[in-house]
Amino acid sequence: MSDTADPDHEIVVARLMRQLYGFAQCLGVDEFDVRLIAERVIADMPLMPDHDRLARARNWLLVASA
C-alpha cells in the first residue's frame, strides 16, 4: 500500500474485501492475504467493473488456499 492515504482507494478495497469475506473464510485464507489480493486486483484492473475484479480475486484466493 502506498504511503499517501487515498480514501477512494480504501473504499474500493473495503468493498471488494466485503464481497470476498465469506468465500475467503471457507477457504481458510486470512484477512491480511485477502487485503493483499484485493489491492493487487484493483491495481491490475483499475478500470474494470467490480464483478470482473471479484472473479479474478476469487481465482487468486483459490490459489492462495492451495
Side-chain angles (χ1 to χ4, degrees):
M1 194 158 105
S2 67
D3 291 335
T4 59
D6 180 6
D8 292 334
H9 176 76
E10 286 302 314
I11 290 169
V12 174
V13 170
R15 186 174 61 225
L16 185 56
M17 286 182 66
R18 266 194 316 274
Q19 294 171 326
L20 293 169
Y21 181 74
F23 187 68
Q25 265 193 327
C26 290
L27 295 174
V29 178
D30 64 23
E31 184 177 345
F32 179 78
D33 290 334
V34 174
R35 175 172 276 285
L36 288 177
I37 289 170
E39 289 178 349
R40 182 61 189 254
V41 166
I42 291 165
D44 288 352
M45 305 172 74
L47 302 176
M48 299 301 285
D50 281 349
H51 66 271
D52 289 339
R53 290 177 179 165
L54 184 59
R56 175 75 54 91
R58 284 182 175 157
N59 286 338
W60 287 4
L61 283 171
L62 286 169
V63 171
S65 72

